[in-house]
Amino acid sequence: MALRALISEIRGMKVREVPGYLKPRLSWENVKKSSDQAVDRYIDKYIETSSPEPLFHVIYGLMAFSYLINLPKERRHLAHLEELERQGAAAAAHH
């Protein structure tokens, strides 16, 4: 929702005004303050209420992380299979 508000604010600006608008919002202090507030809200919403949701968040995060880690290996494997198919088709065409 914050991103939607940011986009709606930027939409009415001229292009040369955008860097001046974004620079103070992307300062280290502002980013740190926003992340601290987000962590506090998360703790209030899930941890303090003894909700099982954080466990699910960890599981889903680990699943996404393992998928991203294995993605290059899978892509290499699929490319190798495609190359073998091309070579097999080329060899079959020569016979």
Side-chain angles (χ1 to χ4, degrees), residues 26-84:
L26 295 176
S27 69
W28 180 250
E29 293 80 22
N30 196 17
V31 170
K32 185 177 181 324
K33 184 180 85 170
S34 297
S35 62
D36 287 342
Q37 289 173 346
V39 168
D40 290 340
R41 284 192 307 270
Y42 186 87
I43 289 171
D44 290 341
K45 186 174 182 179
Y46 296 112
I47 306 297
E48 296 295 328
T49 61
S50 299
S51 172
E53 290 291 320
L55 179 63
F56 300 139
H57 295 156
V58 169
I59 291 170
Y60 295 146
L62 289 174
M63 286 172 47
F65 181 72
S66 66
Y67 175 79
L68 291 174
I69 293 297
N70 287 317
L71 188 60
K73 181 180 176 183
E74 286 297 318
R75 291 185 63 138
R76 284 192 304 270
H77 177 68
L78 290 174
H80 179 69
L81 289 177
E82 288 175 359
E83 182 63 28
L84 288 177

